[in-house]
Amino acid sequence: FNGRESLFIYQNKKYLQRFFTAKNVIFYNNNDELNNLLVNAELDFLKNNLLLHDSYKYLSPKGDSKLSFSEIKILKYGSDQIEVEANVDSESFLIITNNYNNRWSCTVNGELKPILKAYGSFWAIELNKGVNNVKFVYKSRNIFHSKVLNGLL
């Protein structure tokens, strides 16, 4: 090191996993309400409660889930493709702590599913009871445009 006599490394022991499932869904009405929920939230609250905007109420989540078991296996994690296997004992949501971007698409067991904006920033996907094969694919604008220009689409 040049000019430094010491280096400090800190470990954050309070964090959300990259992939996790939540037992409950709480809807918020606006950013102020979301911010109040986040500012006052303990980590366990965030791990157990998916925070979604009111615009997602059409999903009619099951309320207080009976979720007691979930196992998530990361099968592939790349810059433009992610694949996980999620085994859950009730209908629930898989949360991914990647920043939301509408260029990502998702299929669950081969069926196209919307990626929901969770906690105002992350991803959430509806899961069915049982084993779910979840695939995410990033569609780059540049790749799309080059395919159009080359007549591939």
Side-chain angles (χ1 to χ4, degrees):
F1 295 108
N2 292 334
R4 284 204 149 151
E5 293 182 17
S6 59
L7 174 66
F8 297 96
I9 298 175
Y10 296 94
Q11 181 180 9
N12 182 3
K13 295 183 180 182
K14 294 183 178 182
Y15 63 92
L16 295 172
Q17 297 289 327
R18 177 64 70 186
F19 300 91
F20 66 98
T21 53
K23 293 182 179 183
N24 307 304
V25 178
I26 296 175
F27 291 102
Y28 62 88
N29 197 17
N30 55 49
N31 285 340
D32 288 337
E33 191 175 334
L34 171 63
N35 290 338
N36 286 334
L37 286 166
L38 292 172
V39 164
N40 298 314
E42 295 289 330
L43 189 59
D44 282 341
F45 174 83
L46 296 174
K47 288 179 180 177
N48 292 314
N49 296 285
L50 168 60
L51 305 181
L52 290 176
H53 189 268
D54 280 342
S55 62
Y56 292 122
K57 279 192 173 179
Y58 70 90
L59 296 171
S60 63
K62 302 357 173 218
D64 191 17
S65 170
K66 303 286 188 233
L67 181 69
S68 61
F69 170 81
S70 66
E71 179 181 42
I72 301 166
K73 295 178 186 174
I74 301 171
L75 305 176
K76 181 177 186 178
Y77 196 95
S79 61
D80 61 353
Q81 290 186 351
I82 300 170
E83 187 174 348
V84 299
E85 182 181 274
N87 186 4
V88 292
D89 65 354
S90 71
E91 293 179 335
S92 59
F93 289 89
L94 173 66
I95 296 99
I96 302 93
T97 57
N98 287 352
N99 286 323
Y100 182 86
N101 181 311
N102 63 4
R103 292 221 160 269
W104 284 92
S105 64
C106 176
T107 58
V108 178
N109 299 328
E111 180 183 340
L112 190 63
K113 293 279 189 172
I115 300 175
L116 314 174
K117 189 184 273 189
Y119 306 92
S121 179
F122 301 141
W123 305 356
I125 301 296
E126 286 184 285
L127 296 176
N128 300 315
K129 179 180 178 179
V131 177
N132 295 267
N133 186 281
V134 183
K135 294 181 182 180
F136 298 95
V137 176
Y138 182 78
K139 303 272 192 211
S140 170
R141 182 178 301 159
N142 295 336
I143 291 173
F144 176 77
H145 286 173
S146 67
K147 287 182 179 180
V148 169
L149 291 174
N150 290 320
L152 298 175
L153 291 181

